[in-house]
């Protein structure tokens, strides 16, 4: 997918996604919106912040609501407390499900995700968040479909909705999955032994 | 030329669904070593595996997947060592309606992890029964947040396939065969 076709919301979340990547170097994400300004300090999958838990949630909510990440640079030293990778995942989920998404925004994001090439869904231990993650079951279903079919076509999945509310739920789930790195491009088929075994199991 | 064989272990306490899962993934008749249960196991099932279950999925002339189900009882644990030699991965099943099964899962899982370090995944069965422990509760008991734990009904072929495919996904990830490139 070319840089030109990136949705502005995804553009805003891309730095957060990369910063949350365990192998990433980390970043200080500065942003400003109509509601105010803030910063997120993220390093190797962890939030480092001088604020409290609530501040991070608010900041993430703003990130989700406004595509306004202004800059990213390596985090400063001397942070007062840390959140674990598991905490970071929980906060991303809470923020995404707490953010306001207008119908227009849902439609715009749905179009963007629908235009994506086939994806694969990565398995991550998301069950600890099941109590406050409404998308947990659909995520596990998407993962199963990804394994059984070798890929998931989001245009088909997003098109199969009964209401605007359902479309909003699917969009939120895809945003969570994007930020947490659970969506990946479908790998190019390679003649590996395990690839052949997986194809054989699909056909059993 | 002899076919290359990839070997997968299916372990777990008695009555977790191991034999059923192997039957679903095999394209040949499964070889079982069932004997009449004599002790507490007889409350759960009439017969139980005492040595192994063995199923094969023929991929091609040059490649086969061999599935080995281990006995669920500790007194046959000598077979766990025998069967784990050369395995590529481990699927653990647990009966979520049985406190004893969940407790035993911890012992079995630790046993294999200490001896083999195999990539492993846990399938939690009987989720359709009221009061069954959830995958999250089983994971908490296992106290290994890095281990994938997922609901699975081995009676459903699709569930069995998803569990096996998830294990291969883990193995591939470990071998860094999957591309980790970003979209944008």
């Amino acid at each position: 997918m070319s840089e030109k076709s990136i949705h502005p919301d995804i553009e805003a979340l891309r730095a957060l996604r990369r910063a949350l990547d365990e192998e990433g170097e980390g970043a200080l994400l500065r942003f400003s919106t109509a509601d105010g300004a803030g910063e997120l300090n993220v390093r190797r999958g962890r939030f480092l912040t001088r604020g409290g838990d609530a501040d991070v949630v608010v900041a993430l909510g703003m990130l989700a609501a406004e595509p306004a990440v202004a800059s990213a640079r390596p985090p400063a030293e001397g942070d007062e407390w840390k959140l674990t990778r598991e905490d970071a995942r929980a906060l991303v989920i809470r923020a995404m499900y707490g953010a306001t998404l207008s119908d227009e925004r849902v439609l715009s994001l749905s179009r963007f995700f629908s235009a994506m090439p086939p994806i694969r869904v990565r398995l991550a231990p998301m069950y600890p968040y099941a109590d406050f993650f409404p998308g947990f079951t659909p995520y596990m279903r998407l993962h199963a479909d990804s394994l059984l079919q070798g890929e998931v076509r989001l245009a088909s999945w997003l098109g199969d909705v009964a209401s605007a509310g359902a479309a909003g739920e699917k969009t939120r789930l895809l945003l969570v999955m994007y930020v947490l790195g659970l969506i990946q491009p479908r790998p190019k088929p390679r003649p590996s032994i395990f690839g052949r075994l997986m194809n054989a199991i699909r056909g059993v | 030329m002899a076919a290359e064989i990839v070997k997968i272990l299916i372990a777990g306490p008695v009555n977790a669904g191991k034999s059923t899962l192997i039957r679903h993934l095999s394209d040949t008749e499964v070889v079982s070593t069932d004997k009449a249960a004599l002790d507490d196991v007889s409350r759960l099932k009439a017969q139980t595996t005492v040595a192994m279950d063995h199923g094969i999925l023929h991929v091609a002339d040059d490649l086969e997947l061999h599935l080995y189900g281990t006995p669920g009882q500790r007194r046959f644990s000598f077979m766990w060592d025998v069967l784990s030699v050369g395995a590529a991965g481990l699927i653990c099943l647990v009966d979520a309606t049985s406190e004893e099964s969940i407790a035993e899962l911890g012992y079995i899982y630790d046993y294999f992890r200490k001896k083999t370090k195999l990539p492993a995944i846990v399938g939690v069965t009987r989720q359709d029964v009221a009061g069954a422990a959830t995958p999250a509760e089983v994971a908490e008991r296992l106290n290994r947040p890095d281990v994938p734990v997922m609901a699975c009904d081995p009676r459903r072929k699709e569930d069995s396939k998803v569990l096996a495919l998830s294990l291969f996904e883990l193995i591939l990830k470990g071998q860094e065969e999957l591309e980790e490139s970003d979209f944008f």
Side-chain angles (χ1 to χ4, degrees), chain A residues 94-116:
Chain A
R94 289 186 191 279
M96 288 301 178
Y97 280 89
T100 301
L101 292 181
S102 67
D103 289 347
E104 292 76 19
R105 198 169 204 158
V106 168
L107 183 62
S108 168
L109 282 163
S110 291
R111 283 182 181 148
F112 171 78
F113 283 121
S114 294
M116 286 172 65

Side-chain angles (χ1 to χ4, degrees), chain A residues 1 3 6 10 14 17-18 112 116-117 119-123 125 127-128 140 143-144 147-148 178 183-185 187-188 190 192-198 200-204, chain B residues 4 6 24-25 57 59-60 62-63 65 88 121 135-136 139 144-145 147-150 157-158 161-162 164-166 168-169 171-173 175 177-184:
Chain A
M1 188 167 288
E3 292 284 329
I6 295 174
I10 300 299
R14 178 169 58 170
R17 171 188 166 110
R18 289 182 172 167
F112 171 78
M116 286 172 65
I119 63 162
R120 73 181 177 92
V121 177
R122 292 177 61 186
L123 179 62
Y127 45 80
M140 292 302 293
H143 174 255
L147 286 174
L148 290 169
Y178 174 73
I183 295 176
Q184 291 282 322
K188 292 172 185 165
R190 295 188 206 175
S192 74
I193 286 176
F194 288 106
R196 292 172 65 197
L197 287 171
M198 291 175 81
I201 290 172
R202 290 183 183 112
V204 170
Chain B
E4 180 155 2
V6 175
H24 275 317
L25 297 176
L57 174 60
V59 179
D62 64 339
L63 182 59
L65 175 64
I121 191 164
R144 290 294 303 265
V147 179
V149 180
M150 55 201 302
K157 181 180 271 194
E158 295 293 280
K161 288 161 69 171
V162 167
L165 289 167
S166 297
F168 284 123
E169 188 182 31
I171 294 171
L172 281 169
K173 188 179 177 188
Q175 294 182 342
E177 284 191 18
L178 291 180
E179 294 180 1
E180 293 297 329
S181 59
D182 212 342
F183 280 114
F184 15 72

